Structures are given as structure tokens and as C-alpha cells.
Amino acid sequence: MARYLLTRALSLGLSLIVASVVIFALIEVIPGDPASYMMGLNATEENLAALRTELGLTGSAVERYLGWIGGMLTGDFGTSYTYRVPVADLVVDRIGVSLPLAIYALTLSTLIAFPIGIIAASRRGTWADHGIMGATQLGIAIPNFWFAMLLVLLFAVTLRWFSAGGFPGWSDPLAALKALTLPAVALALPQASILARVMRSALIDTLEQDYIRTARAKGLSRGQAIRRHALRNALIPVLTIIGLQFSFLIAGAIIIENVFFLPGLGRLIFQGITQRDLIVVESVTMLLVFAVILVTFLVDLAYALVDPRLRRG
Amino acid sequence: MIAVEELSLAIHTTPILRGVGFDIGPGEIFGLVGESGSGKSLTALTLMGLAPRGTRVTGTARLDGTDLLGLSEAQMCRLRGNEIGMIFQEPMTALNPLQTIGAQVAETLTIHGKATRAEALTIARDRLDRVGLSHLPLDRYPHELSGGQRQRVCIAAAIALNPRLLIADEPTTALDVTTQAQILALLRSLVRDDGLALLLITHDLAVVAGMADRIAVMQAGKIVETGPTAQVLARQSHPYTRALFAASAHVPARSPLHVPEPLLEVERVHRHYPGPRQGLRRGPQIEAVRGVSFTLHRGESLGLVGESGCGKSTLTRAILGLDPVQSGDIRIFGRSIVPHMPAGLRAGIQVVFQDPYGSFDPRWRVDRIISEPFHLLSDPPRGENRRARVADALTAVHLSPDDMDKYPHEFSGGQRQRIAIARALITRPKIIVLDEAVSALDVSVRARILDLLAELQAELGLSYLFISHDLTVVRAITDRVLVMQAGQIVEEGPTATVFDAPEHPYTRQLLAAAPRLPMVSEAIT
């Protein structure tokens, strides 16, 4: 187990280094001078020079790379060109929205997907299965921004249960959760549909395995065989999808964040790009990469918890 | 103890079992023999109440007076594992890979509420000791065990509650002969010591001949003959029994050509694999083949026998040029294929694998499957000529040329193996490697395929390298035999000599472990 952890952790570190080099190189190869690109045509020479220093564009590529990495390791992400505040502050604010939203959506999606996936698999071929498969097909097909707008129309405009958008901050946790509910539901619907389908097919595969027959021969009922033997085996492919979905949710909520006017990471990076704020783009991208790699690492750990065959490797 | 009467079963409207009846007493071993599709496994699953959905069952199956077929699912759950235990064919997949063996044996006890978890583990320890696994701790996972050990774990779980009836469905078919002999001995001792009744289901007459007190021969959902084992085997009053017996011991008529012209020469071949990864490093390398040498002559049939893991598959892959060898030389028709097989040689050596289901692309027509090796030729026949060659190959394996426009799923297992042989013949090779080519077939189908192989060899002057774990088959079809153990050839000689007077202790052990059919005069006719 310790060896498995060590190899996974090493691979995590290596991935981060490779990713940071790639991001740094991408920013480097943008043609022309990033500073004049950012300030536009009318910038004065002094302003450009000041921005270059601020961007860390002076010195050799290696020095600049190490400076950038070193800054991030000590929490210094640079100062946003458009907002004129440290990027770190911006990011912390935004993570306070994006991360809870992602966790909220993923929790909802798992809570919906697991039971209906299990029901569909254990009643394969019945009307319940067909109904669930049809519903999940619909869930995948509906664009989530459109679904989000429907939610707003129904629950915010007509019923007035939720506000149509905005985020009050975490000073009142209940109000904050309430503000995140509609976006989380909008995000969770397609994710839950996909996850339920994966759960169903993984469980159907598992139920056809010989060890389920062995379990039945020992006197387990169908339900007991599913609970005690099939579920944990089916969890392995499901974990993979959960990991991918979580990574997507952290950064991929751009559209939903825009629909609900949520100050999240997705919107930050979107604004960064439209306003040519390379400092924000560079740092937030690196942060997102870090989040994705970290989630992958956590999924690897979860595999090892589920599957004893991996613990020795 | 268990009395089955007039058991019939239909899946939707297709009758599968028709009036099956037998009874087994305490301490008795009852063998149910039949070929695939005869309904023997379904009979067992019906007794367990585990027949697939959509089946209609009639008749009775009384376990000490209780009719199993009349019980509800909840009542059957209480009975399974408690009164009736069952083990299956595939020990490699029969255990949950995520649970320890101790937990899986103990589960039989806890699920029936017969013991607390701690007590159950103590009993599990006792049962694992009983099946000969006292050296294995309870917290081992299935992947750490061999196939034979896993089958022992399955047995331990099945007997955990001392059931009255144990059903064993092909319990040793997936195992090597020596392991098979040990598992059969274990089952026998359980029956004798604990007085449980054993229903032993198998396709292998030799296995039941040495095990069962009484047997029943099953064909197409019916029991065609039943009685004490010795009597059934001696009298063989039903034609199907006779046919089955003859097919099991079938020796194709062969007239070996002896041309001392080496076609395949294997010289001190070593094949190593990198060891399994251990963290960032690799473990010690695995020496799968260690200095093997032999020669295959024109028109000769050479057997290669050994148990799983002995390196015979690795050696086969090296001979086919699929894997590199670390040292030594392999020459085909006098030309070395080390390190790479010259393009022209591939067409001269073809292979037939074990699984007639897995080795074809289901979306390809037979025509395309058979003509695929043509890409090995520098000037492959095209158009009408190509179809004529495919038709010839189909005719050679006794299929109809019209079959070339069909898909693989339209054929039975035996017919598919004929297609595989046709594919191997299409480039007119001189050597055919038969890698467990008849191991997955029923005995009657196997007998016909062996006849076909003998006939093709005589007609086309082919050389066979016949790789198998099945000693009966190797004896029937080969002139010379190599016995392989742990990557080395331990004995080599004319087949009859090696089988009748084995010299190496390992060969003797293999032969002793192989179940044998009693030789009966009627069997020859």
C-alpha cells in the first residue's frame, strides 16, 4: 500500500511539473510582447516596461519560470492587471464559490445516480429500467444552460423560492447554500444521467460474474448478492467517471456561473481571457490543472481502497 | 436423500429437460455425464432454484421429503449453502476479487445466521484446514491463490455448514491433471468422512469412472442410461453411451510418414519476461522457457505436454515469431527466425488456437476469415481464384463451399474449429501449430476433428506441433512427445514409449494423475 501511494504521489508531482512547463511555454510562445498585447496600441514605453517587470518578463526563460513557480509555492500569484488586486485574493474568493458548487453538484449527482443506476441494473429489461434509461437519455440531451433557465423561470420567477442569481457570500451559510442550489441542480442533471448509466452497465457486468453465482449458491438473496458483492466491484469504473466529473465541475461551470451571475473560477478565467489578463489566465489555469491532477490522485487512492489487487503493486 | 422425478424444464416454449429422474443417497457419489447442451448444468441449477428467468419447471425434487421445486425464493435462500452446497467450473472467477478468502468462507455461516462474525471466522479457518489450505492465512485475497487453491476455497465455502448435498459442476475441468486429481481426492474424502451426497457433473467419462458410485448419461435433456458405474461402463446398453465412450477413447487411424527432414529446429531457446513491477522497480525476471531444444520433421506429429504455467504457450509464441527470444535459435525450413521472422516464412507455418468462439471477428464472413492469411503471400490470389482457394479449404475440412458467405455465429463449436483449420490451411503451410486446438470441444466433436487432422496430415504431408494438457489426445494423435516442466523439456521420446514407460518422475506423476477410462472391449467397436 505504501509503495502504491508513493508511486502515485511521485506521478502526481511529475505531472504537475510537466503541466507547469507546458503552461509557461504556451504563454511564452504567444507571438509578440505580452505586455504590449495586454495594454493595447496606445501604451507608453514606461508603462510597458513597468508591466513587463510586473509580469516577470525580465530575465531569462529559466529565471522567469522559476520565479513564477516560486511565487506560486509561496502564495504569490502576481497581481491582476485588470482588477489591480493580487491574483491569490481573487482566486481564494472564487474558489469559495466554485469548490462548494462542484461538491454540491457532485453530491446531488451521486445521490441521484446511484439509486437509479442500481434499480435499473437489478431490474434490467423491466419498465423501471426502460423508464430510467429514457430519463437519463433526456438528461444528457438537454443543454444545461437551457435547463438552468427553466429552473430560474419556475423556482425563481414563478414560485419565488430561490433568487434568480448572484451570491450573498458565506457570512450566512444557509443563504449561500440556497443561492448555490439551482446552479448545482442544473449542473448535476447531466452528470447524474451519465453516472447512472455507467453505474447501470458496470453493475450489469458485475452481476453476470461467476462470483455472484457463487454468492447465490451460498444462500445470499439477489439483493444481498448485489449489496455485498456486486456494488463494490461495480464501483471501480464508477469512480473513474466521478473523478472526471469533479475535475470538469471545478472549471467547467463557466456557462452556469454566467447564467446565475456567480463569481466563480470559470467566470474569472473567462473574464481573464476576454480582458487579456495573462497573469490571471496563467495562474488560474495552473491552479485548475493542479485541481484535476489532485482529483486523479484521490481517485487512484480510492481505487486502492476498493481493490486489494492494487495495494500490492 | 435427494430424489428427482420427472423433472422437465422449458425456456419459454423450448423444452430443455425432459423427465429427468435420479436419486442420490448419503455418502454416495452420483455422476451426471453428458456433452455441452445436454442439460446437465441446468439440472443442477434447477435443484438450486437458480435456473435462469423465463423457465418453466415441472416434476419434483425431494430433499429428504421437501420438494425443492415447490419452495419460495426466500425458503430456497435458507436452503442454499445450508442444506445444499454448490461449486462451479471456473475457480479463477468464482471468488469475489475484493474480499478475503476468510470472509468469503465465513459468509456462508453469517448469512444463515449460524454464527457471529468472530465464530464464523474460526469455523472458516477450520474448513480451510479441512480442504488442505492450512498454510494460507484468512486474510489472503483470491488473486494471491492458484486455480486449485481457489477451487479449495470454493469447496470450503460450500461445506461450511455441512450441507447434506454437494453439487459439483465440472469442478476440475479448468484445472491441470495433477490439481484435478487432488481436488477429486478431496471431494471423495469429504463424501466418505462426512457422509454427504455428491452430485458430480462432468463431460469427462474418465473422471466419473474413477469417482462415481453410480452414473447417469444425459443426452438432449434426457437421461438415456443410468446405473452403477462399472455396470454402465461395461454394458453400455444405450447407443449414445457407446458413442460417448468410443469418442472419449478415440484414436484416429494414422499412418505416420517418417521423413527425416527437419522443418522446425528449436535450439537452446531461452525466453525471459521482465518481473512484475514492484513500485518503481521491476521484480526478478521470470524465466518462462529455459534452454529448450527439439526438432520437428516433415510429416511428423510432435506433442508438447505440460501443465499451465510450464512455458508451453510462451514457447509457442516464440516459434510463431510473435515474441523475441533472449538466446538460442529457432529455424524454420532451415532459415533462422531470430530475431525477426523473414516475411516469406510466415505462410509456411500456421496456427489453430483453442477457443473457436474467441478467435474470429464476429462481423467478418467466413470467406474473409479464411482468406485473411493471404496477406502473408507476396502474390495473393484475387477474385474468382481467391474464392476457389477458400472453397477448396472449406471442402478439405468437410464444410460446404456455400458456407463462405455465412458469419461465424451460424456455426457450432466444432464447425468453427473446422473453419480455423481451413484458415490455417489456406496458405498451404508445411507446419501447423495446434495450440490446445481440441481442448474446448465435446468428446464426439473432438473425435471427428482428430480424424480430420489425421486425414489432412496424410493427404498434405503436414507436420503438426500439438500442444495440449490433455494426455489422452496427445497419445492419440502424436508420434513423438515432449514433456515440459517449469520451462524445460524433462522427457522426450516416441509417444508410446513415453506413455508406457515414463522415465522422468514428473512424467510419471502426470500420467498417474490423469484419469483413465477402463478399457472395455466394446469400446473399440
Side-chain angles (χ1 to χ4, degrees), chain A residues 1-5 7 303-305 307-313, chain B residues 139-145 150 276-281:
Chain A
M1 187 69 180
R3 190 176 269 158
Y4 176 79
L5 278 183
T7 33
Y303 283 150
L305 284 180
D307 193 339
R309 285 167 293 189
L310 287 175
R311 282 178 221 155
R312 294 191 322 155
Chain B
D139 61 359
R140 285 294 161 84
Y141 286 96
H143 69 271
E144 300 171 290
L145 275 58
R150 291 187 208 192
R277 260 175 72 153
Q278 295 177 345
L280 295 179
R281 262 183 247 166

Side-chain angles (χ1 to χ4, degrees), chain B residues 350-395:
Chain B
Q350 291 289 310
V351 62
V352 178
F353 291 109
Q354 170 171 1
D355 187 356
Y357 293 89
S359 55
F360 299 140
D361 185 329
R363 283 158 302 191
W364 283 20
R365 288 180 199 276
V366 167
D367 166 37
R368 191 174 168 200
I369 291 171
I370 293 181
S371 59
E372 199 195 6
F374 274 153
H375 76 265
L376 298 172
L377 303 178
S378 52
D379 181 27
R382 288 174 210 288
E384 273 314 300
N385 202 359
R386 186 179 131 267
R387 284 185 69 87
R389 283 279 291 270
V390 173
D392 285 349
L394 281 168
T395 316

Side-chain angles (χ1 to χ4, degrees), chain B residues 176-187:
Chain B
D176 284 321
V177 278
T178 45
T179 318
Q180 162 166 289
Q182 291 159 5
I183 296 287
L184 291 177
L186 168 65
L187 288 174

Side-chain angles (χ1 to χ4, degrees), chain B residues 124-275:
Chain B
R125 178 72 270 164
D126 173 68
R127 296 298 187 271
L128 285 170
D129 293 350
R130 177 86 180 78
V131 298
L133 294 178
S134 49
H135 57 290
L136 284 182
L138 291 177
D139 61 359
R140 285 294 161 84
Y141 286 96
H143 69 271
E144 300 171 290
L145 275 58
S146 70
Q149 289 172 327
R150 291 187 208 192
Q151 193 60 294
R152 286 171 193 268
V153 174
C154 291
I155 295 173
I159 61 160
L161 279 171
N162 297 318
R164 285 181 274 176
L165 172 66
L166 179 64
I167 303 176
D169 187 359
E170 304 273 10
T172 57
T173 306
L175 302 173
D176 284 321
V177 278
T178 45
T179 318
Q180 162 166 289
Q182 291 159 5
I183 296 287
L184 291 177
L186 168 65
L187 288 174
R188 207 180 290 127
S189 76
L190 289 173
V191 170
R192 301 294 178 244
D193 298 353
D194 301 355
L196 63 86
L198 175 66
L199 172 57
L200 178 66
I201 294 167
T202 180
H203 70 285
D204 192 338
L205 270 178
V207 165
V208 282
M211 278 285 284
D213 303 307
R214 286 188 302 134
I215 66 173
V217 180
M218 205 163 172
Q219 182 197 17
K222 268 190 197 149
I223 289 182
V224 295
E225 185 165 0
T226 183
T229 307
Q231 189 187 319
V232 170
L233 293 182
R235 284 197 199 149
Q236 302 181 14
S237 41
H238 193 275
Y240 182 72
T241 315
R242 269 202 298 283
L244 207 57
F245 206 93
S248 303
H250 183 73
V251 178
R254 298 179 64 240
S255 43
L257 303 108
H258 236 64
V259 189
E261 177 195 340
L263 293 187
L264 168 68
E265 292 158 279
V266 175
E267 212 176 274
R268 292 192 302 280
V269 161
H270 283 263
R271 175 81 181 99
H272 303 161
Y273 287 115

Side-chain angles (χ1 to χ4, degrees), chain B residues 446-504:
Chain B
R446 185 179 80 189
R448 290 199 292 275
I449 296 286
L450 288 178
D451 281 339
L452 173 67
L453 289 174
E455 176 192 321
L456 291 171
Q457 182 165 42
E459 269 175 28
L460 307 171
L462 297 170
S463 301
Y464 289 150
L465 178 59
F466 199 98
I467 297 138
S468 184
H469 70 283
D470 188 332
L471 299 171
T472 320
V473 172
V474 170
R475 178 164 206 174
I477 190 98
T478 64
D479 309 313
R480 226 155 37 91
V481 67
L482 311 165
V483 181
M484 196 164 177
Q485 184 197 18
Q488 289 175 317
I489 304 285
V490 294
E491 185 159 0
E492 175 180 3
T495 304
T497 317
V498 171
F499 275 71
D500 292 335
E503 281 180 6
H504 194 275

Side-chain angles (χ1 to χ4, degrees), chain A residues 80-295:
Chain A
S80 161
Y81 171 67
T82 41
Y83 294 89
R84 290 280 149 211
V85 288
V87 175
D89 295 353
L90 278 176
V91 165
V92 167
D93 280 355
R94 305 305 179 101
I95 285 180
V97 178
S98 284
L99 192 63
L101 179 60
I103 293 172
Y104 196 170
L106 196 70
T107 311
L108 279 181
S109 129
T110 312
L111 285 179
I112 300 168
F114 271 43
I116 69 172
I118 293 167
I119 290 171
S122 53
R123 305 199 185 152
R124 187 184 179 186
T126 63
W127 64 266
D129 182 23
H130 293 309
I132 287 168
M133 290 308 282
T136 55
Q137 186 77 65
L138 204 65
I140 295 169
I142 291 177
N144 64 0
F145 64 88
W146 184 72
F147 181 63
M149 289 191 287
L150 288 188
L151 288 177
V152 171
L153 279 177
L154 179 62
F155 292 103
V157 178
T158 312
L159 295 173
R160 298 188 173 278
W161 291 355
F162 295 92
S163 62
F167 186 70
W170 284 102
S171 49
D172 179 358
L174 265 183
L177 271 185
K178 203 176 162 192
L180 290 181
T181 299
L182 287 187
V185 171
L187 283 172
L189 177 82
Q191 308 284 354
S193 302
I194 294 168
L195 201 59
R197 285 174 158 253
V198 173
M199 183 81 220
R200 174 183 178 271
S201 65
L203 196 55
I204 284 175
D205 280 352
T206 321
L207 284 174
E208 282 164 7
Q209 298 295 314
D210 287 350
Y211 53 79
I212 298 298
R213 196 179 52 182
T214 307
R216 298 277 280 136
K218 286 195 287 190
L220 277 76
S221 69
R222 223 179 118 75
Q224 284 171 323
I226 291 177
R227 281 195 300 282
R228 299 174 70 128
H229 292 279
L231 268 184
R232 212 169 129 202
N233 277 285
L235 212 55
I236 294 167
V238 171
L239 277 175
T240 313
I241 302 296
I242 291 184
L244 289 174
Q245 292 192 337
F246 192 68
S247 310
F248 168 80
L249 284 172
I250 292 175
I254 299 181
I255 295 172
I256 293 296
E257 283 176 2
N258 273 315
V259 171
F260 290 97
F261 305 107
L262 292 177
L265 274 182
R267 267 183 97 199
L268 178 65
I269 200 165
F270 180 69
Q271 286 163 344
I273 291 167
T274 51
Q275 291 162 355
R276 301 174 174 186
D277 193 339
L278 292 183
I279 303 175
V280 167
V281 174
E282 195 176 36
S283 302
V284 177
T285 309
M286 190 59 217
L287 197 74
L288 291 176
V289 168
F290 176 70
V292 171
I293 293 176
L294 188 70
V295 168

